[in-house]
Amino acid sequence: MASIGSSISSALGVGSGIDTGALVSNLVSAARDPKQQVITSRQNLNSARISALASASSSLDTFADALNSLLSGTGYSGVPASNDPSIAAVSALPGGTPQGLPAQLQVQQLAASRTLATAPDPNVSATSLVGAGTLTLTVGSGTPRDIVLTASSTYADLVSAINASGTGVTASLVTDTQGTRLVMKGATGEANDFSLTADSAALEPFAWSKTGPNANSAFTSVSTAQDAVILLDGVEQHYATNTVDTAIPYLRIDLNKASPNTPVTLATTEPTTSMRDLMVEFVNAYNTLMKALNTATAKGADSSGAGVLNGESSIRDMKRQLSQMTSAALSPTGTYRTLADLGIATNRDGTLTLDTKALDKAMAADPSAITQLLNPSVKSDSNPGLAGLMDKVRDSIQKKDGPLAGAQSKYEALAKSLSEQLEKLSDQMTDYQAQLTKIYTAMETRLTALKATQSYLQQQIDAWNNSDN
């Protein structure tokens, strides 16, 4: 029969080694883990959706930008060319396709700069003195610049001061077997002609007037400042330099020789890549984009097999707008107005198929019309070209108040909400853990007190038993 002491020990669990810290931790985990797992799973799915939407938008940008870059290249637009580069050479400028070609050009006059030179003097060198005083240099209608020289100033000092004046006029000392001469040269263009005035007799040899040399000037004019004069399709135009960038958009014209009454034809060479190649590349790139969207929105047998954007209306809208490209008018008139007219058809999954026989037939019937349809030399709202159409679709899909932007905002807001839910759960579990710790700490205190009472009672019982014996 069990003693009274052993029964009390058994009831109090004395010596059971209960780890109240582990018990509290387990209770908190049991309350927190299921809720945390639900929130975390939603976070993972939401993050995947945000990433997939960003990827879809980025892929659309990549497709549109690549198409623009492709069509702006010389492979599809040709290379600007001159039939007489010795008179005028041409090259394409970045940013667009030269417009208005072919054109007829005549170079009536090249741009030139005012160049002055003194007579060669064997008694002059860089260290020779030039005299004291002030030379005033004036370019066109600009602000006069004073060049102050002292009694110790040399020809080298004069050259350095002119070059440092910031007027665009350069000076140099040229020495050959005849001696040394001072040469001054301005920028090309009539407006860049220059003059020099002297305030002392010592510097009079360096004075020069635009209308001619001063009485005591040592300078001779080697060339006169003048503008380039061209006739472009019969219209006279003047330029300060022999490099013309503004006469024809996106075309640089280098004037190399004046040849009045000699027409030069500026034109564009034939594209090295055909519109057929363009259509093949377009369909392939379009199908790559559409297949990626199909994968993201795929329906699975269960949630684990479905695409992360399954059921997302913004992607359905993107696919819808892309699919409408085949029927969108690229030209308001003509036999061939849409991509469908050129043999492009839409499959059930949204991808495209190109009927190359139909395209070849259209190209053979009117190649110029097909080129202008897909890559017009002058784009407009009614004739945007393939790249322009793609830009319109992209702008519509990515507009600020559109479905795609709305979906991105929705998932970003959900991401913030889920983070807040996790923080709230963490705070709740921290409070719950504190409450449990308080409860079990109090229990341990009471158990300790009971244990002391048990020990005392055990001693009394043992004493009673011994006295009975």
Side-chain angles (χ1 to χ4, degrees), residues 73-127:
T74 58
Y76 289 103
S77 60
V79 179
S82 165
N83 71 333
D84 193 342
S86 67
I87 298 176
V90 294
S91 57
L93 293 173
T97 302
Q99 301 173 8
L101 298 179
Q104 294 297 315
L105 173 73
Q106 291 184 37
V107 182
Q108 304 293 92
Q109 174 180 292
L110 290 180
S113 60
R114 173 72 71 181
T115 303
L116 304 177
T118 61
D121 188 341
N123 298 316
V124 171
S125 69
T127 58

Side-chain angles (χ1 to χ4, degrees), residues 67 71 278 325 329-331 339 370-392:
L67 188 58
L71 287 173
L278 169 65
M325 289 181 65
L330 292 171
S331 173
L339 294 178
I370 303 304
T371 298
Q372 288 302 308
L373 180 74
L374 298 176
N375 193 27
S377 54
V378 180
K379 295 180 175 64
S380 65
D381 287 340
S382 59
N383 186 198
L386 190 55
L389 175 62
M390 188 66 236
D391 282 339
K392 284 185 177 181

Side-chain angles (χ1 to χ4, degrees), residues 5 39 52 55 61 119 138 146-147 179 202 326 358 401 414 451 455:
I39 297 174
S55 178
D61 280 333
T138 306
D146 288 339
I147 298 171
T326 58
D401 56 348
L414 180 57
K451 194 172 183 181
S455 178

Side-chain angles (χ1 to χ4, degrees), residues 20-355:
T20 57
L23 179 60
V24 169
S25 178
N26 290 336
L27 289 173
V28 171
S29 294
R32 179 192 60 223
D33 290 353
K35 297 177 182 178
Q36 182 172 295
Q37 185 176 1
V38 170
I39 297 174
T40 302
S41 296
R42 293 186 65 193
Q43 278 187 318
N44 292 338
L45 177 59
N46 193 63
S47 296
R49 284 173 173 166
I50 291 175
S51 177
L53 284 175
S55 178
S57 183
S58 176
S59 296
L60 183 65
D61 280 333
T62 300
F63 181 27
D65 291 343
L67 188 58
N68 275 286
S69 177
L70 189 67
L71 287 173
S72 65
T74 58
Y76 289 103
S77 60
V79 179
S82 165
N83 71 333
D84 193 342
S86 67
I87 298 176
V90 294
S91 57
L93 293 173
T97 302
Q99 301 173 8
L101 298 179
Q104 294 297 315
L105 173 73
Q106 291 184 37
V107 182
Q108 304 293 92
Q109 174 180 292
L110 290 180
S113 60
R114 173 72 71 181
T115 303
L116 304 177
T118 61
D121 188 341
N123 298 316
V124 171
S125 69
T127 58
S128 298
L129 299 177
V130 294
T134 300
L135 280 173
T136 301
L137 174 59
T138 306
V139 177
S141 59
T143 303
R145 301 293 178 88
D146 288 339
I147 298 171
V148 180
L149 302 169
T150 65
S152 61
S153 296
T154 64
Y155 272 83
D157 294 330
L158 174 59
V159 167
S160 296
I162 292 172
N163 290 334
S165 66
T167 59
V169 177
T170 59
S172 61
L173 287 176
V174 179
T175 302
D176 58 17
T177 57
Q178 297 175 300
T180 299
R181 58 172 61 86
L182 173 64
V183 179
M184 293 182 64
K185 183 177 182 180
T188 59
E190 185 177 340
N192 293 316
D193 202 359
F194 63 89
S195 63
L196 287 159
T197 59
D199 70 350
S200 68
L203 297 179
E204 279 293 326
F206 304 110
W208 174 268
S209 173
K210 296 176 186 177
T211 58
N214 294 352
N216 298 322
S217 179
F219 279 125
T220 299
S221 180
V222 178
S223 63
T224 303
Q226 64 182 26
D227 289 340
V229 180
I230 64 173
L231 290 177
L232 185 62
D233 288 334
V235 179
E236 184 173 294
Q237 302 178 25
H238 291 230
Y239 295 93
T241 71
N242 292 313
T243 299
V244 180
D245 291 346
T246 56
I248 297 176
Y250 308 114
L251 184 71
R252 171 175 171 166
I253 306 173
D254 291 304
L255 307 178
N256 298 321
K257 182 174 66 176
S259 185
N261 303 318
T262 302
V264 178
T265 300
L266 309 182
T268 303
T269 61
E270 287 297 318
T272 57
T273 311
S274 71
M275 290 299 111
R276 188 181 196 276
D277 297 325
L278 169 65
M279 296 302 287
V280 171
E281 286 197 49
F282 170 78
V283 169
N284 288 339
Y286 180 100
N287 287 345
T288 298
L289 173 60
M290 187 57 69
K291 287 176 182 177
L293 296 178
N294 287 342
T295 299
T297 56
K299 295 180 180 179
D302 51 42
S303 59
S304 62
V308 293
L309 295 178
N310 177 34
E312 177 51 55
S313 60
S314 64
I315 300 301
R316 288 200 304 269
D317 178 72
M318 180 186 291
K319 292 169 67 176
R320 177 187 61 79
Q321 293 197 53
L322 286 170
S323 67
Q324 291 176 345
M325 289 181 65
T326 58
S327 58
L330 292 171
S331 173
T333 60
T335 304
Y336 307 104
R337 300 173 56 196
T338 68
L339 294 178
D341 294 335
L342 302 181
I344 291 184
T346 303
N347 301 316
R348 293 185 63 182
D349 64 353
T351 59
L352 301 180
T353 299
L354 174 62
D355 185 345

